[in-house]
Amino acid sequence: VPLLAALIALASPAAARMRAAGTPNLAEAVWVTEGPAMGAMCLDGTPPLYFVRKATSDANSTKWVFHVQGGGWCMSLADCAARTKTYLGTSNRSFLPCESPTGACIADMGQIQGCDNTRWCGTPMVNSPDVNPMMHDWNAVLMMYCDGGSWTGNNATVTRYQGTPLYFRGEVNFKAVMQSLLARGFGDATDVVFGGDSAGGQATYIHIDYVRSLLSPTANVIGIPDSGYFMPVGYYESGLQWLYTAMNSSGALPPDCLRDHPGQEYNCIFSPVIVKYIKTRIWPVQSQFDPAQPMLYPKDPAYVNQYGHE
């Protein structure tokens, strides 16, 4: 309860508007170089990547906060091939704001695309005690999103589109990152706040139980999926159905859900469907009105407003 109360305070409109000032929010890039040997790769075949900012005090050494980067999905081979040329499909250093062009990559999370401190990563990742009094000195992990499938793919084959090789290995990437973090002390965690935005919010719904399974039963774990409640309608349904099949996403989803949706197993990738199978505590953060609504439903306010009741 104290953890949840503190998170509610951090999510207030005033806190959300605040930006970390002064000290850069520095974190070190970690390429999971052993990943490719395990089959873990970004869409373009580069190794998975995350940033980590270590706690500086003993009191916070076992406390961890995560943000799973968002960025939509690739919903066709052409779309996936296009993503390999962006930061959402590769871990290539050229897309990172490293302080030095060579050697260790230390970067300000306020300058990383898809993080930008409170804009995408959110207040819990900020290292300012004024903005983030509870978690500013926790171990902080930014999981860079480069698989295009909310970290669900497990297709062992190499797919090719117009000569571009594509690797659909999101689930393998997720587990490789977690194994890397366990080697860095994550297994001793006593408190974990695990969240992400958009496609990263959807990944939070999908993977929070796996994260919980890695830790002691006494660890205090909560998931905070931010803006990850996507409905299985319109182009989301058709696009993620394609993704589910092309990327072989079933292994990342709850077996009970797959069993309960014969012939429509792909629906288990959607948050409204998977949520009842989640065993770990979650605190979803979602707009009362979603900007995606006009793309999916009639724009008549009388129609839209009926879905915005508190």
Side-chain angles (χ1 to χ4, degrees):
V1 175
L3 174 59
L4 185 58
L7 292 172
I8 292 172
L10 287 174
S12 69
R17 288 193 296 268
M18 295 178 72
R19 297 276 176 165
T23 305
N25 192 7
L26 297 179
E28 181 180 0
V30 179
W31 281 270
V32 187
T33 54
E34 66 275 20
M38 304 164 55
M41 288 176 260
C42 297
L43 281 170
D44 71 336
T46 53
L49 167 69
Y50 63 92
F51 280 86
V52 61
R53 186 192 72 221
K54 295 292 290 182
T56 62
S57 67
D58 289 341
N60 292 322
S61 63
T62 60
K63 299 177 180 180
W64 295 74
V65 57
F66 286 76
H67 184 81
V68 185
Q69 186 184 44
W73 308 272
C74 57
M75 299 181 180
S76 69
L77 291 180
D79 192 10
C80 294
R83 283 173 81 101
T84 65
K85 310 301 181 186
T86 76
Y87 73 96
L88 291 170
T90 181
S91 63
N92 192 299
R93 188 185 181 110
S94 63
F95 290 100
L96 306 175
C98 307
E99 290 188 330
S100 171
T102 60
C105 174
I106 308 298
D108 182 354
M109 286 198 280
Q111 302 299 319
I112 296 174
Q113 295 184 79
C115 181
D116 191 22
N117 282 343
T118 55
R119 176 62 183 93
W120 300 111
C121 273
T123 303
M125 293 287 285
V126 175
N127 62 334
S128 166
D130 295 327
V131 177
N132 182 18
M134 180 180 180
M135 289 178 278
H136 66 277
D137 188 39
W138 287 24
N139 298 291
V141 177
L142 170 61
M143 295 178 63
M144 301 296 286
Y145 178 38
C146 68
D147 70 282
S150 284
W151 303 76
T152 64
N154 193 354
N155 186 337
T157 64
V158 180
T159 302
R160 295 187 179 275
Y161 177 77
Q162 296 184 350
T164 300
L166 299 171
Y167 301 86
F168 298 142
R169 309 289 175 79
E171 180 193 4
V172 188
N173 292 355
F174 193 92
K175 292 180 176 179
V177 168
M178 288 297 127
Q179 289 302 312
S180 175
L181 288 166
L182 289 173
R184 289 173 170 258
F186 178 54
D188 298 323
T190 56
D191 298 270
V192 177
V193 174
F194 189 93
D197 73 287
S198 191
Q202 184 168 357
T204 301
Y205 286 105
I206 293 169
H207 294 291
I208 185 62
D209 280 348
Y210 174 74
V211 173
R212 183 69 189 84
S213 73
L214 300 174
L215 305 174
S216 165
T218 61
N220 188 17
V221 181
I222 188 168
I224 307 183
D226 183 353
S227 308
Y229 205 76
F230 291 91
M231 304 293 288
V233 295
Y235 77 92
Y236 288 139
E237 181 174 27
S238 59
L240 292 182
Q241 183 178 4
W242 176 89
L243 182 156
Y244 172 88
T245 302
M247 296 189 178
N248 189 27
S249 297
S250 61
L253 306 175
D256 289 353
C257 183
L258 299 174
R259 186 188 61 243
D260 291 346
H261 294 81
Q264 293 184 317
E265 290 89 351
Y266 68 89
N267 275 318
C268 295
I269 205 169
F270 287 96
S271 314
V273 177
I274 199 177
V275 67
K276 75 174 186 177
Y277 298 94
I278 297 173
K279 299 178 176 62
T280 307
R281 291 185 305 156
I282 57 171
W283 181 38
V285 179
Q286 192 75 25
S287 298
Q288 186 175 4
F289 294 97
D290 194 310
Q293 283 177 322
M295 295 186 288
L296 303 174
Y297 309 111
K299 297 182 181 181
D300 180 5
Y303 181 89
V304 174
N305 285 343
Q306 64 182 316
Y307 294 100
H309 297 302
E310 299 198 22

